[in-house]
Amino acid sequence: MSLKRITQFFNPSSVAVIGASNISTRAGFVVMRNLLQGGFKGPIMPVTPSHTAVHGVLAYPSIADLPKVPDLAVICTNKNTLIDIIEQLGELGCKTAIVIADGLSGEQKSALKACAQAKQVTLLGPNCLGLLIPHIGLNASFSHTVASPGKIAFVSQSAAVCSTILDWAKNKEIGFSYFVSVGDCLDINFNELLDFLGRDAKTKAILLYIDNIEDIRGFISAARAAAFSKPVIAIKTGKTSAGALAAEIHTGGKQSSDAVYDALFQRAGMLRVNDLRELFAATQTLAMHPKLLKVEQLTILTNGGGPGVMAVDELIQSSGKLAELSIETRNALNKVIPQSETTSNPVDIFGDSAPGRYKQALEILLHAKEVKNLLIIHTPSALAPSEDYANIIVETLQKLPKMARPYVITNFMGEDASYAARKVCSNNAIPTYRTPEGAVGAFMHLVTYRRNQKHLTQTPESNTDDAKINKVAAKTLINEFIDDGQSYLPTHQASQVLSHYGIKCIQTEVAYTPTEAKEQAIELGFPVALKLISPSIASKSEVGGVVLNLNDANEVEQTAFAMLIRIKNTYPDAVIEGFSLQKMAPRAGANELRIAIKTEPNFGPVILLGEAGTGLEYAQAAVALPPLNMNLAKYLIAAAHDKGVLKERILPEKVDKYRLCALLTRISQLVIDQPDISSMELNPILASNGQFLVLDATMTLNRYQTQSNRKRLSIRPYPIELVEVVTLKNNTKATLRPIKPEDEQAHKAFDESLNKEDRYKRFFGELPQFNHDQLAKMTQIDYDREMAFIVCQRFEGKTRTLGVSRVIMDPDNLHAEFAIVVRSDCQGLGLGRILMSAAISHCKRQGVESVEGITLPENTGMIELARKLGFKISRDFEEGSINMVLKLNNE
């Protein structure tokens, strides 16, 4: 990806329109008209051999005849001319182009992309509407209307959706910082745009309309970085199999399960909406309130009981929460609402409330400490126009300081009687909706967004299960199975791999004939379970391949014979490898779970959690992307409960969720360590007395082949290969390793240990101690984009951080900024050199071209260390700082 080329794309000073036309039905006509009417200040140069002028502007017969190299070319010709045009633009020196044409075949797309890369021309499209940048007056699109300047960026793969959003936004008077139709994402994609927009000061929220994503890992990385600083909202099509096929045909690219995309958006801290109606609502809400809610509880003020009940129903059904009013607030409300002596939430001031009573009740709620979010519902009243009530809301809010106000949304019901009231609210940046359900739905968007953002700032619990893992032994065993030609492992073989990750399976014996099954059953003891071993049949219980509670040897033998006959008749071509036998485990009072691993197109492996049963489909499970830590495992369990695929049973003992989290993290580590496992199912898993026992396990193996253009995992796991033991100058041992999310408390203690002088040198000023959100950003890092090395030691039973070095790479991976700080009472132990050397080595491995840092002139220790490590030192007299630059990978 390249942030530099995107920056150039979004700041053109001249535009050429290739295929400009005076024929009103041609794209070249509309694009020229939009450019001329948009207020763009730079030269607009039409290129066409058919006209001497287009819209009154002198035209040029060919690209070679252009008087200057355009910063941006908009190609409005048909698809068969594209290669020739890109070659001409490249020869001229034009580096950015928009391709409007659609209907390109896969072969034509490949040829176009290869040509653009060879000529170093950056493409937006094909199959796109174009690009609008309202703040510079650029409308390089064939849209039917214009976009007003604003703070929202919109990026869409669908040109039709772009037109719809533009039309809606114009009616709602919502503006945009950038409006980008990416079409088929042949070159510029969501990842690069998210990197640019996430850093853009003019953009306060980002909206995405997505058909498919090819580079999942790059997308998550970019989306997570953007979502740390501003809301990112996405609508993803293809929720059904038919819809997914249509999306694939529309833009190309493989489609993955919709449930996996849900996991992606949640993990990235984004908000997903389901349809355009929700997208409009979320846009309006976040345009006016881009910050996180402080709490989730909602208070409702209404002049109609029915609408209030409708709002409560929608809130509770959406997993929302009602605020509880204090006694003081209720007493104050009772005094102004004569019909009520027991006011509660929702607060019903009744339909005969004149504006005065309405204002009194509103003031009470706005000043109540427990009211942080307020929905105001108003039905048309004969006492005064709805507009008067809207003005009361505006005037009352304006009397309060912005920081002291609750978050307020409104619902003015009706159409003609309420239009003016909604207009008043919109003009004063108060979100307003037509129905109670719409208002609550918009509020729940903010709640969901808040919950997803917590994924980015939660402190995970530590997990000490690492001692149960022997990945080398498991890898050796898997290699032996593959070398023997085995791609399918039944329980007795899968259990051998699982044992190296502390996952216990029930004792399983194998028999190859019904007679052997009889003999094995006698040795195991009764009752037993008899199961068919066949890689050809995914769900054996559905075809009678599993029989439980067999109580004598003859019954086992007869059942095995009957099973063979039944399978032979049902699946004559099925491969039968034999039978497995297990002694029946006591299942009374136990919860029965199911955990699986599946490999999805573009995503790689995913983890599924649900209840024991027959087939494991995404509709029957909660889904998570590895790697998991204890905190993310908690979210997976909570998601399974919310989805109803993991129910709380009335049993003597509930599932030990802490130990289930530990089990899920070990399975996640299995996914990370063993790329040759393409799928796995543990079903059922008995959960009882805090223990988990797998009764049936299957694995499929396939030798993983590294792909140069795709990473196996959607999210880069913890780089354990960078952990090493180092010796300090006082001859003590310490651990040098990348930072972990679990290091937050230790990092807080480290920050508090720094004296004023060291903090001043590091941060160029006196800063307060870091809060939780800041510490979370420092410890929950994206290892693809940045790295923080720490040196730590055990001290008084706790892990103590002695020093930290941090490098942050730019999206182009060309330059990295470094910073280093050592605990004030641990200086002089060689920590600076250890940490700095680790950072430099990491940048070399990543292919970074240069490492750069800034320090103060009085930080002589840092300056001398940098000089010894080969940095070029220079002084910036204007800024009063020292610049340190080290060139890497010069070859």
Side-chain angles (χ1 to χ4, degrees):
M1 68 179 67
S2 172
L3 189 61
K4 182 179 179 181
R5 69 173 187 157
I6 295 294
T7 304
Q8 293 172 340
F9 212 109
F10 285 141
N11 193 32
S13 59
S14 59
V15 182
V17 181
I18 317 301
S21 177
N22 284 319
I23 301 172
S24 61
T25 56
R26 300 281 178 84
F29 176 92
V30 179
V31 171
M32 277 296 298
R33 181 199 66 194
N34 287 345
L35 281 166
L36 292 168
Q37 292 179 352
F40 183 66
K41 303 300 182 184
I44 299 169
M45 300 171 284
V47 176
T48 173
S50 303
H51 309 282
T52 56
V54 178
H55 286 279
V57 178
L58 179 67
Y60 302 91
S62 70
I63 292 171
D65 291 317
L66 286 168
K68 63 174 292 183
V69 179
D71 290 334
L72 174 65
V74 187
I75 305 173
C76 302
T77 60
N78 69 64
K79 62 183 179 181
N80 297 319
T81 64
L82 295 177
I83 299 293
D84 183 50
I85 289 172
I86 294 298
E87 287 179 344
Q88 292 180 52
L89 289 172
E91 293 294 330
L92 186 67
C94 178
K95 298 300 182 185
T96 55
I98 298 171
V99 181
I100 303 293
D102 60 6
L104 276 72
S105 67
E107 185 178 345
Q108 287 174 316
K109 289 180 184 179
S110 297
L112 178 60
K113 185 173 183 178
C115 178
Q117 288 176 340
K119 296 299 181 181
Q120 297 184 323
V121 178
T122 300
L123 299 181
L124 181 68
N127 189 21
C128 74
L129 185 78
L131 171 68
L132 295 90
I133 310 177
H135 65 270
I136 63 171
L138 181 75
N139 185 353
S141 76
F142 69 100
S143 64
H144 70 293
T145 186
V146 298
S148 302
K151 298 178 181 180
I152 296 174
F154 182 75
V155 183
S156 172
Q157 282 183 299
S158 168
V161 170
C162 285
S163 298
T164 304
I165 293 286
L166 278 172
D167 202 57
W168 170 84
K170 186 176 181 180
N171 178 264
K172 294 292 184 182
E173 298 183 358
I174 291 177
F176 296 92
S177 56
Y178 301 91
F179 199 95
V180 189
S181 173
V182 291
D184 294 344
C185 292
L186 192 65
D187 188 7
I188 291 178
N189 57 31
F190 286 109
N191 312 355
E192 295 170 281
L193 292 167
L194 281 166
D195 276 321
F196 172 80
L197 296 170
R199 292 166 169 79
D200 179 64
K202 294 181 288 296
T203 300
K204 302 304 180 186
I206 304 170
L207 308 182
L208 307 175
Y209 181 93
I210 301 168
D211 281 329
N212 71 286
I213 302 169
E214 283 292 305
D215 180 9
I216 294 292
R217 183 147 158 180
F219 179 88
I220 291 180
S221 185
R224 189 172 185 270
F228 257 125
S229 59
K230 58 193 67 173
V232 182
I233 310 170
I235 178 171
K236 168 68 178 69
T237 58
K239 292 177 75 69
T240 64
S241 56
L245 179 60
E248 188 172 327
I249 292 170
H250 181 223
T251 57
K254 296 179 180 178
Q255 290 287 321
S256 294
S257 166
D258 192 67
V260 183
Y261 273 103
D262 270 339
L264 178 158
F265 296 132
Q266 187 180 63
R267 189 72 172 267
M270 300 166 62
L271 170 65
R272 182 182 188 179
V273 295
N274 294 310
D275 51 41
L276 284 176
R277 179 187 60 80
E278 282 194 49
L279 184 65
F280 294 155
T283 302
Q284 186 177 357
T285 306
L286 286 167
M288 298 177 181
H289 186 82
K291 295 182 180 179
L292 280 179
L293 298 177
K294 294 179 181 178
V295 298
E296 295 183 5
Q297 288 78 6
L298 179 66
T299 303
I300 300 170
L301 173 64
T302 178
N303 70 336
V309 173
M310 292 162 66
V312 171
D313 284 345
E314 181 69 19
L315 181 72
I316 302 305
Q317 288 171 4
S318 303
S319 301
K321 303 172 184 176
L322 275 173
E324 185 174 340
L325 299 181
S326 67
I327 295 175
E328 292 79 9
T329 301
R330 283 183 279 147
N331 287 340
L333 288 167
N334 288 336
K335 292 177 182 178
V336 301
I337 306 174
Q339 296 98 323
S340 177
E341 296 179 358
T342 56
T343 301
S344 61
N345 188 15
V347 178
D348 185 0
I349 57 175
F350 299 96
D352 64 349
S353 292
R357 184 195 301 171
Y358 194 88
K359 183 177 181 180
Q360 287 179 298
L362 180 60
E363 287 177 338
I364 292 169
L365 291 174
L366 290 177
H367 287 88
K369 292 181 179 179
E370 70 273 20
V371 176
K372 302 298 182 185
N373 307 300
L374 179 61
L375 166 59
I376 303 170
I377 300 174
H378 186 270
T379 59
S381 171
L383 299 177
S386 295
E387 187 178 0
D388 290 357
Y389 293 92
N391 285 322
I392 288 172
I393 295 171
V394 172
E395 292 164 7
T396 307
L397 279 174
Q398 287 175 345
K399 293 177 183 178
L400 289 174
K402 283 189 176 182
M403 296 300 292
R405 296 179 192 171
Y407 172 59
V408 174
I409 56 177
T410 64
N411 160 223
F412 280 88
M413 301 183 71
E415 286 299 330
D416 292 344
S418 301
Y419 179 81
R422 288 196 290 267
K423 195 76 172 176
V424 168
C425 290
S426 295
N427 290 341
N428 288 276
I430 302 171
T432 186
Y433 304 90
R434 280 182 165 81
T435 66
E437 294 89 348
V440 171
F443 174 74
M444 288 306 299
H445 288 148
L446 294 176
V447 171
T448 302
Y449 174 64
R450 179 179 186 266
R451 292 172 182 174
N452 288 355
Q453 280 283 300
K454 282 188 173 184
H455 280 271
L456 303 178
T457 57
Q458 286 283 352
T459 304
E461 296 180 48
S462 296
N463 179 22
T464 57
D465 270 355
D466 290 351
K468 295 183 178 181
I469 295 175
N470 187 341
K471 68 177 182 180
V472 175
K475 182 68 174 176
T476 302
L477 188 58
I478 289 171
N479 283 332
E480 290 174 359
F481 285 131
I482 294 176
D483 291 342
D484 288 341
Q486 288 189 254
S487 60
Y488 170 81
L489 303 185
T491 304
H492 69 284
Q493 292 174 323
S495 63
Q496 298 174 45
V497 177
L498 294 170
S499 67
H500 294 301
Y501 282 81
I503 301 169
K504 185 179 179 182
C505 295
I506 194 169
Q507 181 185 350
T508 304
E509 301 297 337
V510 177
Y512 298 100
T513 67
T515 302
E516 285 185 26
K518 173 182 178 180
E519 294 168 356
Q520 291 286 4
I522 292 170
E523 289 187 20
L524 275 174
F526 297 98
V528 298
L530 179 72
K531 302 176 184 180
L532 188 74
I533 301 175
S534 172
S536 307
I537 303 172
S539 182
K540 298 165 189 62
S541 60
E542 290 185 352
V543 296
V546 177
V547 179
L548 308 179
N549 290 307
L550 297 174
N551 288 296
D552 65 58
N554 291 330
E555 188 181 12
V556 170
E557 185 176 29
Q558 291 168 7
T559 302
F561 272 121
M563 194 179 288
L564 288 176
I565 294 169
R566 184 165 54 250
I567 298 301
K568 185 71 173 176
N569 291 332
T570 311
Y571 293 96
D573 298 326
V575 176
I576 307 299
E577 295 181 351
F579 307 91
S580 66
L581 291 101
Q582 300 167 340
K583 189 167 183 179
M584 290 296 298
R587 302 171 80 155
N591 286 274
E592 297 189 17
L593 311 176
R594 174 176 43 186
I595 299 173
I597 297 167
K598 288 190 175 186
T599 300
E600 277 287 307
N602 299 343
F603 282 86
V606 298
I607 299 171
L608 294 82
L609 171 66
E611 288 190 331
T614 50
L616 184 59
E617 301 301 327
Y618 285 107
Q620 302 166 306
V623 183
L625 303 176
L628 298 180
N629 54 32
M630 293 290 282
N631 197 55
L632 291 168
K634 273 186 188 176
Y635 276 112
L636 176 58
I637 296 168
H641 282 294
D642 289 343
K643 194 174 180 180
V645 296
L646 200 62
K647 300 180 177 67
E648 291 284 359
R649 304 291 183 187
I650 303 175
L651 294 170
E653 185 179 352
K654 292 185 178 181
V655 175
D656 187 324
K657 291 183 180 178
Y658 181 86
R659 292 186 180 180
L660 179 56
C661 287
L663 173 63
L664 288 166
T665 59
R666 292 200 301 277
I667 288 173
S668 170
Q669 195 61 47
L670 174 68
V671 171
I672 294 165
D673 295 341
Q674 311 300 338
D676 297 332
I677 299 176
S678 58
S679 68
M680 180 181 81
E681 184 165 355
L682 312 181
N683 175 32
I685 305 169
L686 294 188
S688 180
N689 299 318
Q691 302 297 315
F692 297 90
L693 179 66
V694 179
L695 301 190
D696 198 7
T698 57
M699 284 183 187
T700 57
L701 306 179
N702 185 31
R703 184 73 73 190
Y704 178 72
Q705 302 294 326
T706 302
Q707 302 176 52
S708 59
N709 64 336
R710 192 181 300 282
K711 304 293 186 182
R712 172 175 164 262
L713 295 165
S714 298
I715 301 169
R716 184 175 178 177
Y718 181 76
I720 196 170
E721 68 277 5
L722 302 182
V723 178
E724 62 177 296
V725 176
V726 295
T727 303
L728 307 184
K729 286 186 177 181
N730 61 0
N731 291 322
T732 62
K733 301 290 184 182
T735 301
L736 169 70
R737 61 172 174 81
I739 203 165
K740 294 180 179 181
E742 291 85 353
D743 290 321
E744 183 181 325
Q745 289 305 312
H747 206 68
K748 183 175 187 293
F750 169 76
D751 179 52
E752 292 170 348
S753 76
L754 300 176
N755 60 36
K756 287 186 178 181
E757 182 182 355
D758 287 331
R759 285 182 64 81
Y760 185 83
K761 289 178 181 178
R762 168 63 182 88
F763 302 111
F764 291 28
E766 294 187 11
L767 293 180
Q769 300 295 330
F770 294 124
N771 60 31
H772 163 66
D773 286 350
Q774 292 168 322
L775 288 166
K777 290 180 182 180
M778 292 177 179
T779 54
Q780 298 185 40
I781 64 174
D782 181 344
Y783 300 112
D784 272 334
R785 289 174 169 254
E786 60 182 305
M787 181 59 71
F789 287 99
I790 65 171
V791 174
C792 55
Q793 283 181 331
R794 296 292 291 176
F795 182 76
E796 295 181 352
K798 295 183 179 180
T799 298
R800 182 174 67 159
T801 300
L802 309 183
V804 182
S805 64
R806 191 177 297 272
V807 286
I808 300 177
M809 282 75 76
D810 66 12
D812 301 338
N813 207 43
L814 299 177
H815 309 288
E817 295 181 6
F818 82 89
I820 184 170
V821 62
V822 174
R823 190 180 169 99
S824 300
D825 56 0
C826 292
Q827 295 176 6
L829 299 178
L831 288 162
R833 178 178 285 272
I834 290 170
L835 288 162
M836 198 65 236
S837 297
I840 293 170
S841 296
H842 177 73
C843 289
K844 286 181 177 179
R845 287 189 296 270
Q846 296 294 109
V848 173
E849 293 184 5
S850 68
V851 182
E852 304 168 6
I854 302 173
T855 192
L856 296 172
E858 53 264 39
N859 195 356
T860 54
M862 181 69 251
I863 297 169
E864 186 58 28
L865 173 62
R867 185 177 283 113
K868 288 179 179 178
L869 291 173
F871 283 79
K872 181 181 178 181
I873 309 298
S874 62
R875 182 157 189 168
D876 187 328
F877 289 96
E878 186 176 335
E879 295 293 333
S881 60
I882 300 295
N883 297 326
M884 303 167 285
V885 179
L886 177 65
K887 298 293 183 182
L888 303 174
N889 302 309
N890 292 328
E891 65 275 9

